[in-house]
């Protein structure tokens, strides 16, 4: 995959692993963020044969992991779909059996009312899970590293092909955690793009991570 920032050298994101794009330019930082958000046409993406790719489909722009609200919520449709696809027949039958029992209890109780009340039973597991408010435990998603790790696991489990893009991770993770993150991405055979607003001399770059830097004068150093 090749990512191009208008009038700058290409970012070649071919191999799996951590990719860090850092800059001290407010212009470059704005252009990168708004490019991934498709607010501005500042980024162009293509495969290795230079065939164009849709930025919105090729990348999953997440933003700041602590400032972005309900950061995991958008993945719930993927999680629901993955869960239903992987659910074996035995457990599926057990769930619907319990649901039928609940329906019978409700119907019996409705007969005690003076009005002709009834309920519609629908064997739709997706609707049932939504009614039960299936969700990730937000109490466990307080730590920045855990949030990023969960996003990577969701991408892998749900077979989401887009590349996650996260901002300002260096503000939240120490050098050891950054190295662990780099190792994790490599082990999972995935790609993760980090966008950082900092000077290259103040940023700790983990081993095996690819580093791209644009200085405050918009000069490329990669």
């Amino acid at each position: 995959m090749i990512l191009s920032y208008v009038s700058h050298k290409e970012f070649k994101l071919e191999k799996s692993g951590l990719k860090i794009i850092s800059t001290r330019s407010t212009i470059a930082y704005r252009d990168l963020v708004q490019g991934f958000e498709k607010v501005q046409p500042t980024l162009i993406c293509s495969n290795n044969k230079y065939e164009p790719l849709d930025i919105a489909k090729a990348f999953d722009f997440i933003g700041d992991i602590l400032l972005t609200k309900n950061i995991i919520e958008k993945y719930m449709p993927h999680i629901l779909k993955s869960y239903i696809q992987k659910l074996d027949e035995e457990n599926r039958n057990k769930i619907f059996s319990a649901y039928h029992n609940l329906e019978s209890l409700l119907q019996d109780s409705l007969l005690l009312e003076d009005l002709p009340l009834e309920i519609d039973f629908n064997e739709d597991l997706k609707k049932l899970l939504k009614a039960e408010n299936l969700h990730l435990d937000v109490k466990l998603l307080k730590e920045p590293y855990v949030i990023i790790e969960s996003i990577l696991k969701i991408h892998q489990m749900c077979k989401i092909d887009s590349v996650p893009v996260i901002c300002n991770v260096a503000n939240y993770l120490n050098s050891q955690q950054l190295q662990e993150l780099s190792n994790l991405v490599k082990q999972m055979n995935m790609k993760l793009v980090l966008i950082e607003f900092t000077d290259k001399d103040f940023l700790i770059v983990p081993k095996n991570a690819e580093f791209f830097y644009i200085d405050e004068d918009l000069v490329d150093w990669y």
Side-chain angles (χ1 to χ4, degrees):
M1 182 186 293
I2 299 170
L3 181 67
S4 300
Y5 171 32
V6 177
S7 77
H8 288 263
K9 289 169 58 179
E10 298 171 340
F11 304 111
K12 293 188 177 181
L13 313 176
E14 298 173 357
K15 299 179 181 178
S16 62
L18 192 63
K19 322 291 181 180
I20 302 177
I21 303 175
S22 176
T23 183
R24 276 296 296 172
S25 166
T26 56
I27 296 173
Y29 187 84
R30 178 202 64 200
D31 286 347
L32 289 168
V33 170
Q34 292 187 339
F36 279 118
E37 291 181 317
K38 293 200 74 173
V39 174
Q40 298 286 349
T42 50
L43 294 178
I44 300 172
C45 183
S46 65
N47 59 24
N48 293 337
K49 296 180 180 179
Y50 288 93
E51 297 168 335
L53 300 174
D54 186 344
I55 286 282
K57 293 180 179 178
F59 295 92
D60 173 22
F61 184 76
I62 296 158
D64 190 298
I65 51 174
L66 291 190
L67 298 180
T68 304
K69 302 299 181 184
N70 303 318
I71 199 167
I72 300 294
E73 191 65 28
K74 70 176 182 176
Y75 297 112
M76 286 312 303
H78 295 284
I79 294 172
L80 280 169
K81 181 179 178 181
S82 177
Y83 170 77
I84 292 171
Q85 288 176 342
K86 293 177 181 177
L87 187 64
D88 60 74
E89 193 67 26
E90 181 182 356
N91 282 303
R92 186 185 297 268
N93 290 335
K94 286 180 180 179
I95 290 171
F96 282 127
S97 176
Y99 196 19
H100 277 289
N101 290 335
L102 174 62
E103 181 204 19
S104 297
L105 288 172
L106 289 171
Q107 288 284 21
D108 290 344
S109 66
L110 290 175
L111 292 175
L112 301 175
E113 300 295 328
D114 293 332
L115 298 173
L117 301 173
E118 64 177 7
I119 58 174
D120 292 326
F121 180 75
N122 189 346
E123 288 191 352
D124 189 327
L125 189 53
K126 189 174 183 180
K127 288 183 179 179
L128 175 59
L129 291 170
K130 286 183 177 180
E132 290 296 323
N133 192 27
L134 178 69
H135 62 279
L136 295 176
D137 190 347
V138 293
K139 296 191 297 294
L140 301 177
L141 296 174
K142 299 291 186 182
E143 293 297 324
Y145 186 90
V146 175
I147 296 173
I148 299 172
E149 184 181 34
S150 298
I151 291 171
L152 293 174
K153 287 180 178 178
I154 291 170
H155 270 254
Q156 187 177 65
M157 180 186 76
C158 300
K159 298 180 180 179
I160 303 173
D161 294 330
S162 56
V163 179
V165 180
I166 305 177
C167 302
N168 309 322
V169 169
N171 292 348
Y172 306 122
L173 302 187
N174 58 36
S175 58
Q176 181 180 344
Q177 290 174 316
L178 279 171
Q179 185 60 59
E180 289 175 0
L181 179 61
S182 180
N183 294 339
L184 176 64
V185 176
K186 202 73 176 176
Q187 289 168 7
M188 296 176 78
N189 195 31
M190 295 178 63
K191 297 174 186 174
L192 172 62
V193 175
L194 306 184
I195 302 177
E196 303 292 341
F197 184 76
T198 183
D199 190 278
K200 64 183 177 66
D201 295 328
F202 292 97
L203 184 66
I204 300 171
V205 180
K207 295 178 182 178
N208 301 323
E210 292 186 75
F211 183 60
F212 310 90
Y213 180 69
I214 301 172
D215 69 18
E216 56 190 341
D217 296 319
L218 296 174
V219 177
D220 300 333
W221 293 87
Y222 55 91

